[in-house]
Amino acid sequence: MINRAVLTGRLTRDPELKYTTNGVAVASFNLAVNRQFTNSEGEREADFINCVMWRKTAENFCNYMHKGSLVGIDGRIQTRSYENQQGQRVYVTEVIADNFSFLESKSQSNQNNGNYVPQDNGFGQNSGPTTPNNTSPNDLFNGQQGQSIDIADEDLPF
């Protein structure tokens, strides 16, 4: 069985570093990951994914990453549940991150601190300029500007 999650996104806030009663470091953070398509208004939506990191990796992550940092995360998806104070069962799904990568220089990261505006680089990730009609420069249908395309079923290869 395989349980791997690889994410590229920006931190929505500074990561929070805490320590367990045994002194083990644990960082929690939220990663905004753009969807690869736009909604009906032509805007790109994002998923906000809860992530957790442990031990020395968590300490290093918190020392170097801040709100707006572009980061790559490698980990696994985990689900858990607990009973809240009202006696209701609460289910949580999060990514347990094993590794992370810096995806921009420190100066670029500082420029984006809290001022990030999503832009598409043609690969569903944020970083490059967009065309005036908010489509990807690599979009095969660029220039259609939201118009329907008439394709017959026999023209489809599947």
Side-chain angles (χ1 to χ4, degrees), residues 7-60:
L7 304 172
T8 300
R10 291 196 184 269
L11 293 177
T12 61
R13 57 182 158 72
D14 288 341
E16 185 178 333
L17 182 64
K18 294 183 179 180
Y19 291 88
T20 66
T21 54
N22 295 334
V24 177
V26 58
S28 59
F29 55 95
N30 197 278
L31 202 62
V33 179
N34 273 3
R35 294 181 180 170
Q36 293 186 351
F37 51 87
T38 57
N39 63 17
S40 60
E41 289 83 39
E43 298 170 349
R44 190 167 302 278
E45 296 178 351
D47 293 303
F48 299 90
I49 301 169
N50 294 321
C51 301
V52 176
M53 195 174 286
W54 291 89
R55 299 178 181 77
K56 188 67 176 170
T57 308
E59 292 175 326
N60 289 335

Side-chain angles (χ1 to χ4, degrees), residues 27-133:
S28 59
F29 55 95
N30 197 278
L31 202 62
V33 179
N34 273 3
R35 294 181 180 170
Q36 293 186 351
F37 51 87
T38 57
N39 63 17
S40 60
E41 289 83 39
E43 298 170 349
R44 190 167 302 278
E45 296 178 351
D47 293 303
F48 299 90
I49 301 169
N50 294 321
C51 301
V52 176
M53 195 174 286
W54 291 89
R55 299 178 181 77
K56 188 67 176 170
T57 308
E59 292 175 326
N60 289 335
F61 187 82
C62 290
N63 286 335
Y64 295 104
M65 298 297 173
H66 56 80
K67 179 181 177 180
S69 295
L70 181 64
V71 62
I73 298 294
D74 175 40
R76 62 186 170 83
I77 296 174
Q78 176 177 289
T79 58
R80 60 185 172 88
S81 65
Y82 63 92
E83 196 169 296
N84 66 12
Q85 294 176 345
Q86 292 77 28
Q88 298 171 323
R89 178 66 55 197
V90 177
Y91 295 91
V92 179
T93 301
E94 56 201 0
V95 173
I96 306 301
D98 300 321
N99 300 302
F100 70 95
S101 296
F102 300 94
L103 297 180
E104 64 187 356
S105 69
K106 187 174 182 178
S107 62
Q108 287 175 317
S109 180
N110 288 336
Q111 289 174 0
N112 289 324
N113 188 9
N115 299 318
Y116 175 66
V117 178
Q119 294 180 325
D120 180 31
N121 68 0
F123 297 102
Q125 300 301 326
N126 305 330
S127 73
T130 59
T131 57
N133 62 359

Side-chain angles (χ1 to χ4, degrees), residues 141 148-158:
F141 301 107
S148 296
I149 299 173
D150 189 23
I151 299 175
D153 286 344
E154 58 269 6
D155 293 335
L156 297 174
F158 47 88

